[in-house]
Amino acid sequence: QVQLVESGGGSVQAGGSLRLSCAASEDTHIFNCMAWFRQAPGKDREGIATISFRGRTFYADSVKGRFTIAQDNAKNTVNLQMTNLKPEDAAVYFCAAHCRVLGPTSWSRATDYTYWGQGTQVTVSS
């Protein structure tokens, strides 16, 4: 069974940076894409960024220019570098893998992803 384990969450002040990592129990080449989502209390799960096995990336408008997704196939991980964090970025961040369809409008549909991690908390103080 595929397992995804997130790490790197924590508390930072606004303007700070964090790097999240997602370690997969399988070779990441088997996934057509890997992604990061987040969910704040009382809100729907939101797609943040995704990367295809060929390296194509999509980002939510709210994080473009601040977050970067990258895949390290040698380590079977996908990372999310987050800079210039804002209080509204606070949420539980989830790693997801293997999307049904990867496209400019479909990549952020949580229901299209097969595998999920347990999440890691990110807190941003103003």
Side-chain angles (χ1 to χ4, degrees), residues 10-109:
S11 297
V12 294
Q13 289 189 329
S17 300
L18 280 175
R19 183 172 180 264
L20 305 183
S21 290
C22 172
S25 60
E26 305 289 337
D27 188 333
T28 49
H29 286 104
I30 69 171
F31 306 130
N32 61 340
C33 62
M34 296 189 75
W36 286 94
F37 285 73
R38 69 186 180 190
Q39 189 166 18
K43 294 190 177 181
D44 292 335
R45 193 165 293 193
E46 174 190 18
I48 297 302
T50 194
I51 185 166
S52 74
F53 76 99
R54 295 185 185 275
R56 188 181 184 190
T57 57
F58 294 99
Y59 292 93
D61 288 342
S62 59
V63 305
K64 279 181 183 176
R66 300 189 298 123
F67 291 11
T68 303
I69 189 170
Q71 196 161 320
D72 186 340
N73 292 325
K75 296 182 179 179
N76 293 334
T77 62
V78 62
N79 302 312
L80 184 69
Q81 180 67 47
M82 305 186 295
T83 63
N84 191 22
L85 282 159
K86 304 175 181 180
E88 53 263 41
D89 293 319
V92 178
Y93 282 70
F94 297 89
C95 176
H98 206 62
C99 50
R100 188 170 62 87
V101 178
L102 182 63
T105 57
S106 63
W107 70 269
S108 59
R109 285 200 293 256

